[in-house]
Amino acid sequence: MSMDAVFIEGKRKYIFCSDEHGLRVLSSVFENVKKEKLAYEWYHFSAEKRECLEEFLSKQKMGTFLYVELPYSELHTVQMMAKRIGFSSDETQYFGYGEKWISIFCCRCHELNRAEEQQTGLTCHQCELKLEVSDHYSELYHAFLGYPATG
Amino acid sequence: MYIEPTLFVRVSSIEKITKQVKKFTLFPETGKELPRFSGGAHISTYLKIPSGLIVRQYSLVSHPDKRSNYEIAVRLSENSKGGSLHWHQGMKVGDRLQISYPKNHFSLSFKARHHVFYAAGIGITPFLSMMQDISTNRQTFELHYASKSEESCVFHSYIKKHYPNQSHFYFSDQHQRLQTTSLANHPIGTHVYFCGPEGFIEQFRTASIELGYPILSIHSERFSPPKPIVLKAFQVKIHNGITINVSKTETILEALHKHGIIAPYSCQIGRCGTCELPVLKGRVDHYDSFLSDEQKEANNCIIPCVSRAKSDKLVIEIK
Ligand code: FES
Ligand SMILES: [Zn+2]
């Protein structure tokens, strides 16, 4: 994930996806797109409308470029969704803001726990099992799976 | 001359499938199974004829899982330098020849969500095995296939029967034209594949890039060498002192061979890299699809089966 949004030339359409706070990084690229009179669409994101976003992205055609700026808590989900739909890394730029945290799914009680992005272990706040953060991401729970910590 | 590792096969059947195209079935001489290949693969065939050895590349059109024999389809080209002419007129059932192991410069992308094939004429051949591979994997695809007429459309009835919902035919004698505008309709995650004459490939590649397709989503396969824009004669000096003239109509590789200089080669379309030679002096006009952009920029090697000289003279090294 790079820090600055970079304007990628030569696309037939640009999509900007963000919530009301996430306009900081994308605005310069957006100005560019407007100035060049290129086709674009803004998608105003809200967590409740995740399915709508999925439908919207699935309808896009080749030649579309996607810029996303969202809180870290949402960004990963959207990134996985876009990838599943078929947006490659050459057709997307993602920017996160706010607190960097991820969800951890407890393998014993199935509770979702919050953890910082770099965190490797935690204690489940419900059943108090010591968990190790795996790199298995569950699309279903939008969370990384937490396994019993060994040792 | 250089020959890559090969398999010995015999021709077990010859079938005329259109006016200009024959299908050849090749079975292994040893009776053992042939290697499995992946969709889009081709083989080099080595034909010994009185004037020398002819090397040609043909896509495998049989099912990738079928290992008892291979099938290729050969179109008799109007300006055949001997390859397709020999296949059509000289080849008999029972004849023996050498073929390379299957190679694939045109494989299906693992990342694609949907595959779209664009074929013109005999350019359909690599797509047959690709469609079979995809059907096994239950992925989705479309085929857009342009041909002069229904009679000259290679594998027309086979494709129509097996892929009725995925295939679209464009016959120019019925004023149907395959146009680049359909590139605008493919959903995100599509990979496009082009095979046919040089002009066809270029037209579709350019149109895809203009629409904003990422380069990695565009694939193409050529069976003929790219056509240089400027064709001029020049000289090649070999570092031991001999200077040879390369005329407008011949390649450096052909000129070297004409002068009895041993220079290895295989594909002759600038793709395999077998013929690469170091350049000591002079500017190269690169036409191959083998060297990277950095290597081309560095100007210290050449693919002599297709590339030419920008300067009047090139000095190359031959061991
Ligand atoms: S012979 Fe294959 S690149 Fe020249
Ligand atoms: Zn728990």
Side-chain angles (χ1 to χ4, degrees):
Chain A
M1 234 173 287
S2 54
M3 290 317 288
D4 286 313
V6 180
F7 174 57
I8 304 295
E9 278 182 328
K11 303 289 168 183
R12 65 199 286 208
K13 181 181 172 184
Y14 296 82
I15 293 176
F16 299 92
C17 171
S18 76
D19 59 12
E20 63 272 29
H21 306 293
L23 301 176
R24 279 158 284 206
V25 184
L26 300 187
S27 56
S28 70
V29 172
F30 178 57
E31 289 309 316
N32 231 322
V33 166
K34 265 203 312 198
K35 202 175 74 206
E36 310 251 322
K37 299 199 169 59
L38 301 167
Y40 70 87
E41 218 170 320
W42 266 105
Y43 188 91
H44 295 282
F45 178 85
S46 69
E48 304 78 54
K49 289 200 301 181
R50 233 188 248 126
E51 274 91 64
C52 305
L53 175 64
E54 177 140 21
E55 207 191 309
F56 171 75
L57 292 181
S58 306
K59 276 196 283 210
Q60 302 306 319
K61 305 285 190 198
M62 284 301 285
T64 306
F65 199 92
L66 173 66
Y67 289 96
V68 181
E69 186 175 4
L70 288 174
Y72 281 112
S73 54
E74 290 295 345
L75 191 67
H76 190 70
T77 315
V78 171
Q79 204 169 345
M80 301 301 278
M81 177 198 287
K83 194 173 163 191
R84 194 170 57 234
I85 290 167
F87 281 92
S88 68
S89 51
D90 290 337
E91 295 163 305
T92 45
Q93 284 178 29
Y94 299 101
F95 306 92
Y97 68 86
E99 220 183 316
K100 261 193 181 177
W101 59 266
I102 52 175
S103 292
I104 312 297
F105 179 79
C106 172
C107 66
R108 182 155 81 188
C109 73
H110 295 193
E111 178 66 2
L112 289 175
N113 291 273
R114 254 187 197 223
E116 273 166 33
E117 208 195 14
Q118 312 301 349
Q119 210 170 323
T120 57
L122 69 154
T123 305
C124 173
H125 72 90
Q126 184 167 276
C127 73
E128 298 191 345
L129 179 68
K130 279 206 167 26
L131 296 171
E132 201 168 288
V133 180
S134 75
D135 50 14
H136 285 151
Y137 186 78
S138 158
E139 292 285 335
L140 189 62
Y141 299 106
H142 303 296
F144 289 92
L145 301 182
Y147 295 119
T150 46
Chain B
M1 196 197 85
Y2 167 89
I3 293 189
E4 61 197 324
T6 51
L7 302 157
F8 281 97
V9 291
R10 281 183 194 273
V11 176
S12 63
S13 75
I14 303 176
E15 189 191 334
K16 188 161 182 169
I17 53 175
T18 68
K19 227 176 179 177
Q20 276 189 305
V21 178
K22 284 184 179 178
K23 188 172 87 178
F24 297 85
T25 306
L26 311 172
F27 72 98
E29 206 177 42
T30 58
K32 286 198 199 118
E33 288 198 318
L34 290 162
R36 196 200 175 273
F37 59 93
S38 52
H42 69 270
I43 51 169
S44 297
T45 62
Y46 292 86
L47 300 183
K48 286 207 182 74
I49 58 162
S51 59
L53 190 64
I54 305 183
V55 192
R56 288 291 181 277
Q57 281 70 39
Y58 298 104
S59 296
L60 292 165
V61 298
S62 38
H63 196 289
D65 292 334
K66 192 161 108 197
R67 301 185 44 191
S68 53
N69 58 47
Y70 287 158
E71 289 168 3
I72 58 170
V74 182
R75 177 179 178 271
L76 179 63
S77 79
E78 295 85 37
N79 40 24
S80 172
K81 285 189 191 164
S84 67
L85 194 68
H86 184 81
W87 272 104
H88 272 251
Q89 294 178 358
M91 199 62 90
K92 297 179 304 299
V93 169
D95 281 358
R96 181 177 191 251
L97 69 141
Q98 277 172 282
I99 61 170
S100 71
Y101 284 82
K103 290 177 272 192
N104 203 342
H105 302 309
F106 197 45
S107 44
L108 290 163
S109 160
F110 291 115
K111 293 195 172 147
R113 294 291 179 274
H114 181 60
H115 307 268
V116 183
F117 306 131
Y118 284 90
I122 193 70
I124 187 65
T125 53
F127 296 132
L128 291 170
S129 60
M130 292 164 102
M131 292 191 289
Q132 284 161 338
D133 256 0
I134 291 184
S135 310
T136 327
N137 303 336
R138 290 204 217 104
Q139 286 180 293
T140 58
F141 72 92
E142 304 161 38
L143 168 70
H144 297 270
Y145 181 8
S147 176
K148 285 206 178 78
S149 63
E150 197 171 323
E151 307 83 73
S152 67
C153 184
V154 195
F155 299 112
H156 176 244
S157 49
Y158 171 87
I159 296 168
K160 226 173 116 178
K161 182 174 160 214
H162 288 87
Y163 313 110
N165 302 324
Q166 295 96 331
S167 44
H168 309 270
F169 297 92
Y170 306 80
F171 302 122
S172 44
D173 71 340
Q174 296 175 29
H175 306 289
Q176 299 160 337
R177 267 180 59 80
L178 173 53
Q179 279 164 329
T180 54
T181 44
S182 68
L183 289 167
N185 303 326
H186 302 318
I188 199 80
T190 299
H191 279 235
V192 286
Y193 305 78
F194 308 128
C195 188
E198 178 74 14
F200 172 83
I201 294 178
E202 257 336 288
Q203 190 195 354
F204 277 80
R205 271 191 77 87
T206 313
S208 321
I209 292 167
E210 276 168 7
L211 277 169
Y213 277 60
I215 296 289
L216 294 176
S217 308
I218 307 172
H219 312 265
S220 56
E221 174 86 320
R222 348 182 103 80
F223 288 107
S224 51
K227 289 204 178 57
I229 308 152
V230 271
L231 267 179
K232 60 178 184 73
F234 55 89
Q235 287 188 317
V236 167
K237 191 172 161 200
I238 298 169
H239 75 301
N240 68 5
I242 311 174
T243 298
I244 59 171
N245 293 314
V246 181
S247 74
K248 263 191 202 174
T249 55
E250 64 188 347
T251 65
I252 299 179
L253 190 70
E254 285 166 344
L256 292 172
H257 288 159
K258 203 166 85 187
H259 287 78
I261 295 157
I262 299 168
Y265 67 96
S266 171
C267 72
Q268 295 188 76
I269 57 169
R271 188 135 200 196
C272 71
T274 308
C275 65
E276 181 180 337
L277 292 171
V279 170
L280 305 176
K281 232 187 231 163
R283 298 286 312 161
V284 180
D285 204 0
H286 296 283
Y287 284 103
D288 63 279
S289 39
F290 176 77
L291 297 175
S292 68
D293 289 349
E294 293 81 61
Q295 283 173 307
K296 286 180 183 172
E297 194 65 41
N299 195 62
N300 54 19
C301 52
I302 186 168
I303 299 296
C305 66
V306 290
S307 296
R308 307 184 66 83
K310 262 184 199 156
S311 45
D312 295 334
K313 201 179 243 175
L314 273 186
V315 182
I316 58 179
E317 190 179 332
I318 294 185
K319 299 234 167 68

